[in-house]
């Protein structure tokens, strides 16, 4: 059984807005000390200020080895251990497969998948106690995949879906390789009300009204509802859950009118 939430130190990548900020908010409400991350230092500062005394900010680009190494080093140096890593940073990409350039493919893979690998490696070393100053001997990782790619396919999401499927596969590998010291699980959200979906909506690439009609719960998710699933997987209540992907889609996939 892991530490109670109120004694945990967590790092949430991409937590300056959207789902990541909601995860950081929920975790601090449960008494967790949270390291907030994003590329923009000003946004990191604003989020830390809003979250209050349990938050600490480290701006870093998690697609780079240098960025993830600095994020891990600062967190370990400041708190002496890290109990929970939430790999949330990500980006959407919606365009016909034939139009996706190699640069666009690479950026999407780097942000959604490579960052998850790099952070898992950097924080895995700390949690397993193999880092230079590491003293922790356990922890949990929660990866933010997606219904799209993590579970199902979707037109015009080649790089995004491939990356999110990769996140689910990586989750299983790390659960198998690092258990029992580290539990590793994923959440696969359906459509969530964030800047990401607002942009897709503005570009006409998703139909918010149709999503509501197809979803048994009648609407898109609030970021806080994804955060609650992450908190569940991070908590001692999920002590025997590892390698799992928790779909949080309001029933979207079972609700589609197939015939
Ligand atoms: P947003 O675009 O609203 O927020 C993304 C966050 O990630 C921001 O804080 C951003 O800050 C940060 N970020 C992006 N790139 C990097 C990077 N290279 N290094 C560090 N931080 C980074 O996204 P959402 O909240 O909508 O999505 C969060 C996660 O949930 C993503 O992994 C997404 O794929 C997944 N998801 C979202 C769904 C949705 O409907 N919204 C559905 C299913 C999954 P900054 O730009 O300042 O770096």
């Amino acid at each position: 059984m892991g530490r109670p939430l109120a004694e945990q130190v967590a790092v949430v990548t991409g937590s300056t807005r959207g789902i990541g900020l909601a995860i950081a908010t929920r975790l601090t409400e449960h008494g967790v000390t949270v390291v907030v991350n994003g590329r923009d230092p000003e946004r990191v500062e604003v989020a830390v200020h809003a979250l209050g005394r349990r938050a600490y900010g480290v701006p870093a680009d998690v697609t780079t080895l240098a960025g993830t190494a600095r994020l891990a080093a600062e967190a370990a140096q400041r708190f002496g251990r890290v109990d929970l890593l939430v790999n949330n940073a990500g980006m959407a990409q919606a365009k016909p497969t034939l139009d996706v350039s190699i640069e666009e493919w690479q950026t999407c893979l780097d942000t959604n998948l490579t960052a998850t690998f790099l952070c898992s490696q950097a924080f895995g070393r700390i949690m397993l106690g193999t880092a230079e100053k590491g003293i922790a001997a356990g922890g949990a990782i929660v990866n933010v995949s997606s219904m799209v790619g993590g579970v199902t396919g979707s037109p015009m999401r080649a790089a995004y879906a491939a990356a999110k499927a990769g996140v689910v596969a990586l989750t299983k590998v790390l659960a198998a390789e690092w258990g029992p010291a580290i539990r590793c699980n994923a959440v696969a959200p359906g459509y969530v009300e964030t800047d990401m979906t607002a942009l897709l909506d503005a570009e006409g690439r998703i139909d918010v009204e149709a999503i509501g009609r197809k979803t048994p719960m009648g609407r898109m998710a609030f970021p806080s509802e994804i955060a609650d699933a992450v908190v569940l997987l991070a908590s001692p209540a999920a002590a025997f859950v590892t390698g799992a992907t928790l779909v949080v889609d309001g029933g979207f996939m079972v609700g589609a009118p197939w015939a």
Side-chain angles (χ1 to χ4, degrees), residues 55-256:
Y56 178 79
V58 181
D61 182 347
V62 291
T63 64
T64 67
L65 193 55
T68 53
R70 196 162 47 75
L71 177 59
E74 276 201 41
Q77 198 167 29
R78 177 78 172 75
F79 299 106
R81 62 170 211 277
V82 175
D83 305 290
L84 170 67
L85 167 66
V86 183
N87 282 307
N88 165 78
M91 61 168 281
Q93 192 179 88
K95 62 192 302 188
T97 302
L98 295 183
D99 297 342
V100 177
S101 70
I102 181 65
E103 290 80 15
E104 288 168 333
W105 169 270
Q106 197 60 59
T107 301
C108 192
L109 265 287
D110 283 351
T111 309
N112 290 299
L113 180 57
T114 307
T116 300
F117 164 71
L118 290 175
C119 284
S120 299
Q121 214 178 37
F123 286 96
R125 286 193 183 105
I126 293 169
M127 291 178 190
L128 293 167
T130 58
E132 217 175 303
K133 290 181 187 150
I135 49 165
I141 297 174
V142 181
N143 295 325
V144 180
S145 176
S146 172
M147 172 181 78
V148 172
V151 187
T152 183
S154 180
M156 306 215 295
R157 301 289 195 282
Y160 184 79
K164 292 302 190 183
V167 168
V168 169
L170 184 59
T171 300
K172 293 175 188 170
V173 169
L174 298 185
E177 191 172 328
W178 290 346
I182 301 176
R183 292 186 303 107
C184 186
N185 293 292
V187 291
Y191 292 100
V192 188
E193 281 184 16
T194 67
D195 290 353
M196 187 184 272
T197 42
L199 185 65
L200 291 171
D201 185 32
E203 292 173 351
R205 296 182 188 273
I206 60 169
D207 181 342
V208 172
E209 203 257 325
I211 290 169
R213 259 187 287 115
K214 284 183 189 168
T215 306
M217 296 308 291
R219 56 170 174 79
M220 303 209 311
F222 303 128
S224 61
E225 292 168 322
I226 310 306
D228 286 331
V230 171
V231 168
L232 170 65
L233 291 172
S235 77
F240 205 63
V241 182
T242 194
T245 296
L246 179 56
V247 176
V248 189
D249 69 345
F252 181 88
M253 282 186 299
V254 296

